[in-house]
């Protein structure tokens, strides 16, 4: 079963034993001395039960007390309009609080996944901007992606950084750096990174041309892509039409072998 990058931190919450329990925290009249961890657990439990109004109240209390995972969960809820009106700037503020306070957290800790995800979210906000609040800043976006990609080893950040190098956003175009970061994410099973790396290798864009390996990565990505990732289908179809018969046969065989050996793929960011 494929697990999207957006879903993985939520599953991690359950794995950490933070769901399905009852707590004494009262979101309608919280004590000033209430534990932020208790408020978070209460809020996440309410969220799991579908009571998102209560979830926001309890998570908000925990977030105000500096609980990073509560801040992350609220950020995601506001970014997606999940149980509340979508508000990208509120999401941006929550993710910024996480990045400011936890940039130096140990990347090997389970909670680091939430911190790196916050950096990726901020990178996308800086890249695209938020009307009336945040001006697009590709250079700042590249910095955010670079930090999450290098310090936390985040595959989604590595893909985003690779695409910025490929497109020349936030700095000079550098297909060699694009291939480097795409390779790191592709090795982790990131679908978009496999497609981008495959395209670069097939075309020989800034790197040595390797049409068989490139078409193999493109084919793996196509087999694992979601219907809305049309750009992956288009890239693979174009490469397939340009490849020789021998290149096609070899690449498809290698792709089938990769998929057979890697049946627990990681998805790319929504």
């Amino acid at each position: 079963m494929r697990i999207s990058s957006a879903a993985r931190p939520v599953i991690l919450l359950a794995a950490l034993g933070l769901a399905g329990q009852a707590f004494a925290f009262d979101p309608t009249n919280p004590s000033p001395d209430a534990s932020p961890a208790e408020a978070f657990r209460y809020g996440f439990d309410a969220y799991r039960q579908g009571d998102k109004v209560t979830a926001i109240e309890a998570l908000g209390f925990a977030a105000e007390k500096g609980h990073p995972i509560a801040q992350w969960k609220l950020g995601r809820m506001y970014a997606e309009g999940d149980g509340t009106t979508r508000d990208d700037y509120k999401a941006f503020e929550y993710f910024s609080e996480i990045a400011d306070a936890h940039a130096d957290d140990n990347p090997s800790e389970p909670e680091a996944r939430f911190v790196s995800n916050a950096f990726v979210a901020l990178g996308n906000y800086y890249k695209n901007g938020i009307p009336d609040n945040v001006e697009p800043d590709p250079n700042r976006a590249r910095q955010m992606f670079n930090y999450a990609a290098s310090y936390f080893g985040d595959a989604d950040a590595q893909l985003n950084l690779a695409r910025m190098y490929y497109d020349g956003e936030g700095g000079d175009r550098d297909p060699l750096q694009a291939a480097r970061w795409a390779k790191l994410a592709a090795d982790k099973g990131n679908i978009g990174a496999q497609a981008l790396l495959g395209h670069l290798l097939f075309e020989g864009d800034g790197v040595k041309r390797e049409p068989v390996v490139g078409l193999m990565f493109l084919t793996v990505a196509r087999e694992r892509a979601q219907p809305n990732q049309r750009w992956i289908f288009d890239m693979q179809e174009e490469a397939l039409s340009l490849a020789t018969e021998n290149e096609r046969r070899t690449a498809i065989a290698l792709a089938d072998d990769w998929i057979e050996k890697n049946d627990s793929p990681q998805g790319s960011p929504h």
Side-chain angles (χ1 to χ4, degrees):
M1 179 178 68
R2 288 180 190 164
I3 299 173
S4 72
S5 60
R8 287 197 302 274
V10 176
I11 292 172
L12 177 57
L13 293 178
L16 290 172
L18 301 177
Q21 305 174 51
F23 295 90
F25 178 79
D26 181 1
T28 62
N29 187 30
S31 166
D33 298 326
S35 162
E38 182 182 71
F40 167 73
R41 290 191 292 267
Y42 188 97
F44 188 68
D45 189 57
Y47 180 88
R48 296 266 293 184
Q49 295 179 35
D51 185 356
K52 296 182 180 179
V53 172
T54 299
I56 289 173
E57 291 175 348
L59 291 171
F61 179 90
E64 288 177 6
K65 299 284 188 178
H67 194 286
I69 307 180
Q71 292 168 338
W72 175 85
K73 185 58 183 171
L74 281 172
R76 290 254 56 94
M77 291 177 76
Y78 280 111
E80 297 166 9
D82 181 12
T84 185
T85 302
R86 177 172 174 171
D87 190 327
D88 284 310
Y89 189 62
K90 277 190 178 181
F92 175 85
E93 290 182 313
Y94 280 121
F95 293 135
S96 295
E97 289 178 16
I98 297 169
D100 290 342
H102 299 278
D104 296 327
D105 283 8
N106 188 331
S108 67
E109 294 297 324
E111 293 83 356
R113 174 62 184 164
F114 302 98
V115 181
S116 65
N117 187 270
F119 272 96
V120 173
L122 288 171
N124 282 312
Y125 279 131
Y126 280 117
K127 181 179 177 181
N128 300 314
I130 300 174
D132 303 321
N133 287 290
V134 178
E135 290 293 322
D137 187 343
N139 183 265
R140 184 69 171 150
R142 187 183 280 199
Q143 291 173 1
M144 290 288 167
F145 292 139
N146 184 74
Y147 189 80
S150 55
Y151 184 74
F152 290 104
D154 189 291
D156 298 332
Q158 290 166 346
L159 167 61
N160 278 285
L161 186 59
R163 295 190 72 162
M164 293 197 79
Y165 275 117
Y166 177 75
D167 293 328
E169 292 183 272
D172 294 336
R173 184 174 190 270
D174 190 334
L176 184 60
Q177 283 295 324
R180 175 198 169 207
W181 288 108
K183 176 68 163 56
L184 288 171
D187 286 345
K188 297 182 176 78
N190 186 286
I191 297 169
Q194 290 174 331
L196 179 58
L197 177 62
H199 175 73
L200 287 163
L201 290 172
F202 187 84
E203 296 290 328
D205 186 358
V207 296
K208 178 183 176 182
R209 186 167 189 263
E210 298 184 56
V212 171
V213 178
L215 184 55
M216 181 272 286
F217 274 118
L218 281 165
T219 302
V220 168
R222 176 183 175 136
E223 289 297 314
R224 304 169 64 235
Q226 300 299 318
N228 63 347
Q229 294 177 298
R230 186 67 235 175
W231 65 278
I232 294 177
F233 291 82
D234 292 341
M235 276 186 176
Q236 194 267 353
E237 289 168 6
E238 180 181 5
L240 199 64
S241 69
L242 295 172
T244 66
E245 181 61 28
N246 184 60
E247 288 170 345
R248 286 195 292 269
R249 285 199 306 269
T250 306
I252 290 171
L254 289 172
D256 288 342
D257 184 59
W258 190 99
I259 292 169
E260 183 179 348
K261 292 178 180 177
N262 298 271
D263 58 358
S264 298
Q266 294 183 18
S268 56
H270 62 92

